[in-house]
């Protein structure tokens, strides 16, 4: 009589599906985020991808500990790269913000430099305390950043018989204008222009040209040097004042002197 002997078998442990997707995603996003972080303007992309990679990497490591995944190295590397991308994003943000700030400062400086420069009045005695908006007096100085302009008092002038700009019956007056270059670069004096008005109605006072006056400013003025020119203007016989407006150039605002005549 025979008996079948069977060895009892222990039940097999249930199979757990391997879930390596989070670790792989963390690695891919970490690599892209780190590369983006090396380009400062892409700091925002590095920050986003780095944060996601770090989170996925940490969650993936949790799966590895629970034996739900077996890509511990990939998951750890993804988390580390995610952290690196976050650090690079902060550095990139600092670099980008600093660069933008410096660029804005340079633009503002360029705009300020290109804007017309306001003259501040300095003069002899108490005349320098005058409000420049009301006009300067004879001998007062209009001081710019790089120039100083002075207009003398008006003196009677006798033009030649056929001098252009003079009308018979009117009176002529001469003024001496001095431009001093107080800057560090040479100044193109040919850019300086003068205009004049006379009387209470402010009629145009024509500039007189003859063999003694009318040439205007010419050439350049070196730093520390001056240029002096005499101008003559035609005014109505009853005019009591002569307004002289001097514009040193395109980069400077015009200044005005109110001179007594008659």
């Amino acid at each position: 009589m025979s008996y079948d002997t069977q060895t009892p078998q222990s039940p097999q442990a249930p199979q757990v599906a391997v879930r390596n997707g989070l670790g792989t995603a963390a690695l891919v996003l970490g690599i892209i985020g780190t590369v983006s972080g090396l380009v400062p303007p892409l700091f925002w992309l590095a920050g986003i991808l780095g944060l996601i990679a770090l989170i996925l990497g940490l969650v993936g490591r949790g799966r590895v500990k629970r034996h739900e995944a077996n890509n511990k190295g990939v998951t750890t590397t993804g988390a580390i790269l995610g952290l690196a991308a976050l650090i690079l994003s902060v550095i990139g943000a600092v670099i980008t913000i600093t660069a933008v700030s410096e660029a804005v400062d340079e633009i503002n400086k360029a705009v300020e430099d290109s804007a017309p420069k306001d003259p501040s009045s300095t003069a002899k005695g108490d005349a320098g305390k005058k409000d420049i908006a009301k006009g300067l007096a004879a001998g007062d100085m209009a001081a710019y950043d790089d120039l100083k302009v002075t207009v003398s008092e008006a003196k009677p002038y006798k033009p030649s018989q056929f001098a252009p700009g003079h009308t018979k019956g009117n009176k002529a007056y001469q003024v001496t204008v001095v431009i001093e270059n107080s800057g560090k670069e040479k100044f193109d004096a040919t850019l300086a222009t003068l205009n004049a008005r006379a009387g209470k109605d402010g009629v145009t006072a024509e500039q007189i040209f003859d063999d003694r006056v009318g040439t205007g400013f010419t050439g350049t003025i070196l730093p520390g040097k001056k240029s002096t020119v005499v101008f003559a203007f035609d005014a109505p016989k009853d005019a009591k004042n002569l307004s002289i407006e001097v514009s040193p150039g395109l980069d400077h605002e015009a200044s005005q002197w109110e001179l007594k005549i008659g």
Side-chain angles (χ1 to χ4, degrees), residues 66-193:
R66 295 191 301 271
H67 304 291
E68 297 175 359
N70 58 7
N71 60 342
K72 179 179 179 180
V74 172
T75 302
T76 302
T77 302
I80 293 174
L81 290 176
L83 180 60
L86 283 175
I87 296 174
L88 290 174
S89 71
V90 174
I91 297 174
V94 173
I95 294 175
T96 302
I97 293 173
T98 302
V100 171
S101 178
E102 292 178 352
V104 171
D105 291 341
E106 288 296 327
I107 293 174
N108 290 335
K109 183 179 178 181
V111 171
E112 291 176 359
D113 291 342
S114 63
K117 303 169 185 177
D118 294 330
S120 58
S121 173
T122 59
K124 304 173 183 178
D126 294 334
K129 299 178 181 179
K130 292 180 58 178
D131 183 358
I132 193 171
K134 297 179 180 179
L136 302 171
D140 284 355
M141 176 187 295
Y144 300 82
D145 291 341
D146 55 349
L147 295 175
K148 295 178 182 178
V149 182
T150 306
V151 176
S152 72
E153 64 180 347
K155 299 180 180 180
Y157 178 77
K158 186 176 181 180
S160 58
Q161 185 177 2
F162 300 106
H166 177 58
T167 301
K168 187 176 180 179
N170 285 354
K171 292 183 178 180
Y173 297 89
Q174 71 175 43
V175 295
T176 301
V177 181
V178 180
I179 297 180
E180 178 182 356
N181 185 352
S182 57
K184 297 181 180 180
E185 303 290 337
K186 63 182 181 180
F187 173 72
D188 185 359
T190 59
L191 298 177
T193 59

Side-chain angles (χ1 to χ4, degrees), residues 229-254:
V229 177
V230 177
F231 294 85
F233 295 96
D234 196 57
K237 182 171 59 176
D238 58 348
K240 301 298 181 183
N241 69 288
L242 184 66
S243 299
I244 303 295
E245 184 179 78
V246 180
S247 178
L250 299 177
D251 294 335
H252 304 77
E253 285 190 354

Side-chain angles (χ1 to χ4, degrees), residues 205-219:
E206 297 292 340
Q207 184 176 345
I208 298 173
F209 298 86
D210 60 16
D211 56 342
R212 291 172 292 166
V213 296
T215 56
F217 288 96
T218 59

